[in-house]
Amino acid sequence: MIQSLAPYAVRVENSRGRRHVEQQHPYRNDFQRDRDRVIHSRAFRRLEAKTQVFTRRYSDHFRNRLTHTIEVAQIARTVAAQLGLNVDLVEALALVHDIGHPPFGHAGEKALDSAMRQHGLFFDHNLHALRIVEDFETRYAAFRGLNLTFEVREGIIKHSRDYDAAEHPELTEYLLGSRPPLEAQLIDITDEIAYASADLDDGYEARLLTLEQIREGLPVFAGFLREAEERYPDAAEKLQFNEALRRVLDRWAGDLIRNTQQHIKAAGLTTVEDVRVCGTRIAGLSPEIEQERRQTKEFLYQNLYFSSALEPEKDDAERIIAELFDLWMKQPEKLPSSYQEKAEQEPLARIVCDYIAGMTDNYIYEQHEKYCGV
Ligand code: MG
């Protein structure tokens, strides 16, 4: 796509490049190729069978990690285009942003981290994503991993948080002291916007959240719902709900564009280097909308994520991951041979963690049944 880039956008011709030099493609630039490599990776396909919030016990209509990822990419592309940012890079970063997530959603991540801490290590999904694209994906004869450009690898690490250079000497090449480009900064916020609105939708459809509850807890939603009821008095409740929800999403995405533009202007940013040396992240919501988003997140924690209805899956996640982790630590000979070989170079706990983190919900259930009984 031909796009006119803002002066503070990342330009593909200025990329710091790949680890292994490759010939240019005749009609796809390097960020487009990175996006395509992510889409064609096995880890990307596995997102389909990883829980976002709801397992398939509820409905096939609900989001999984893959459809969540596609929604983030959609919102991020729209916002990036309005800001004159590099849409190809944004799309690659959005599509790869959750690739390091283990099975069982947030509960799985917590369980895997606790298992690792018992061995003096920890689990971090951004760092795991980097291991996937650098090492675990084996598609090409010339190198291991996907050989992604520096900017995509940097965004994988830095899109949602800063890492301390003293604690992570292995990440030094990613310029830990400086902010990531705006293309990466956008991913974290569009992720938040995407899941807040999607989880309200799925939570309502699952009947774990009622319209009254959402109306009472979230004034911004209540205002739009009132408008929808007045405009479409005869429409089904779910359609009125949809009308309200899409206005909330539009309001937040619009605010992200306007507020980021204002910040860019106020900080006088004219190059990517200006973005990097800026003391704070520039992409973000205005204080008023940030407050709405936080309120929505808290509402979802209280009424959905911590609800007793979702307890069985959380208990499963903790129990299954803990039991399998323990089993493979005690009997590493039961790991696939490729993982046993890796354990000669890295701590066994790290290798067991890598193996579990890559699994889909379906596969980990199968493994648990095979080794631990039901
Ligand atoms: Mg996400």
Side-chain angles (χ1 to χ4, degrees):
M1 148 186 176
I2 307 295
Q3 191 207 353
S4 70
L5 291 178
Y8 41 78
V10 174
R11 289 179 150 62
V12 70
E13 60 273 22
N14 295 339
S15 168
R16 289 170 203 234
R18 308 180 184 282
R19 284 201 195 285
H20 307 275
V21 177
E22 293 183 50
Q23 263 192 349
Q24 286 298 310
H25 190 274
Y27 49 85
R28 288 180 306 153
N29 71 42
D30 279 341
F31 295 151
Q32 292 170 339
R33 288 177 90 183
D34 282 3
R35 172 202 58 205
D36 299 347
R37 285 175 187 201
V38 169
I39 290 174
H40 289 275
S41 68
R42 289 172 64 162
F44 185 76
R45 291 196 292 279
R46 290 197 303 265
L47 294 175
E48 185 197 5
K50 292 197 185 213
T51 291
Q52 176 70 13
V53 174
F54 293 96
T55 57
R56 295 224 165 125
R57 177 162 75 89
Y58 282 89
S59 164
D60 281 349
H61 294 305
F62 294 171
R63 276 83 174 172
N64 56 49
R65 281 250 174 240
L66 180 63
T67 61
H68 157 73
T69 293
I70 294 169
E71 291 184 358
V72 174
Q74 179 270 313
I75 299 168
R77 264 199 326 257
T78 304
V79 172
Q82 285 304 305
L83 290 171
L85 297 175
N86 192 314
V87 173
D88 296 327
L89 176 57
V90 164
E91 194 174 15
L93 289 175
L95 292 174
V96 82
H97 91 280
D98 266 355
I99 217 165
H101 273 281
F104 298 137
H106 188 63
E109 190 174 4
K110 238 176 88 193
L112 201 51
D113 186 56
S114 328
M116 284 292 271
R117 286 188 190 270
Q118 292 183 15
H119 301 276
L121 298 165
F122 64 93
F123 176 75
D124 174 300
H125 69 90
N126 291 338
L127 300 178
H128 186 68
L130 192 64
R131 286 167 76 77
I132 292 174
V133 304
E134 287 268 76
D135 189 30
F136 304 161
E137 286 289 328
T138 46
R139 291 182 55 78
Y140 305 98
F143 43 76
R144 279 193 80 87
L146 302 179
N147 198 28
L148 301 177
T149 56
F150 172 86
E151 290 72 17
V152 174
R153 285 180 283 127
E154 180 199 21
I156 287 174
I157 290 298
K158 287 159 68 175
H159 73 271
S160 60
R161 53 166 288 202
D162 295 316
Y163 288 82
D164 186 60
E167 268 174 59
H168 293 279
E170 79 283 8
L171 300 177
T172 310
E173 66 175 305
Y174 297 113
L175 318 169
L176 296 183
S178 67
R179 310 283 80 72
L182 291 169
E183 283 81 354
Q185 294 186 25
L186 272 191
I187 302 302
D188 190 41
I189 309 146
T190 49
D191 184 23
E192 298 262 357
I193 293 176
Y195 79 69
S197 61
D199 294 346
L200 283 175
D201 190 22
D202 290 345
Y204 170 76
E205 286 233 20
R207 299 179 198 281
L208 298 181
L209 301 172
T210 67
L211 200 58
E212 274 323 300
Q213 219 180 350
I214 304 174
R215 199 201 294 265
E216 264 171 44
L218 303 175
V220 58
F221 180 87
F224 284 130
L225 184 64
R226 210 174 311 117
E227 279 177 32
E229 286 168 342
E230 280 164 19
R231 188 154 175 205
Y232 306 106
D234 301 324
E237 187 187 275
K238 172 60 180 160
L239 297 181
Q240 292 172 339
F241 171 95
N242 288 354
E243 292 295 330
L245 189 62
R246 73 189 185 91
R247 283 170 178 76
V248 173
L249 175 55
D250 196 48
R251 172 180 166 90
W252 291 355
D255 180 79
L256 174 58
I257 295 164
R258 282 187 303 275
N259 190 62
T260 303
Q261 261 161 351
Q262 279 168 15
H263 280 186
I264 291 168
K265 222 171 154 192
L269 306 182
T270 53
T271 65
V272 185
E273 209 36 49
D274 290 347
V275 177
R276 288 191 177 283
V277 299
C278 199
T280 54
R281 291 187 181 226
I282 291 290
L285 299 169
S286 67
E288 183 196 353
I289 303 299
E290 176 58 15
Q291 199 270 338
E292 285 177 13
R293 187 199 61 77
R294 265 176 211 274
Q295 189 178 43
T296 307
K297 192 169 175 170
E298 275 162 33
F299 174 87
L300 286 167
Y301 267 97
Q302 278 171 18
N303 300 290
L304 184 66
Y305 306 146
F306 291 154
S307 74
S308 55
L310 295 184
E311 279 302 318
E313 278 92 353
K314 276 193 215 156
D315 294 345
D316 270 6
E318 277 167 37
R319 184 173 49 85
I320 290 176
I321 288 181
E323 288 179 11
L324 280 174
F325 200 102
D326 204 42
L327 171 105
W328 282 312
M329 285 304 293
K330 287 184 182 133
Q331 300 177 58
E333 69 280 5
K334 289 191 170 157
L335 285 167
S337 56
S338 59
Y339 284 86
Q340 292 183 39
E341 280 163 28
K342 278 172 181 272
E344 287 163 20
Q345 275 114 45
E346 288 190 275
L348 178 61
R350 173 63 61 200
I351 301 308
V352 171
C353 177
D354 285 342
Y355 187 41
I356 292 178
M359 292 181 185
T360 59
D361 291 17
N362 306 339
Y363 190 69
I364 198 168
Y365 270 121
E366 267 174 39
Q367 291 292 298
H368 188 254
E369 204 174 309
K370 178 172 167 189
Y371 289 115
C372 307
V374 187

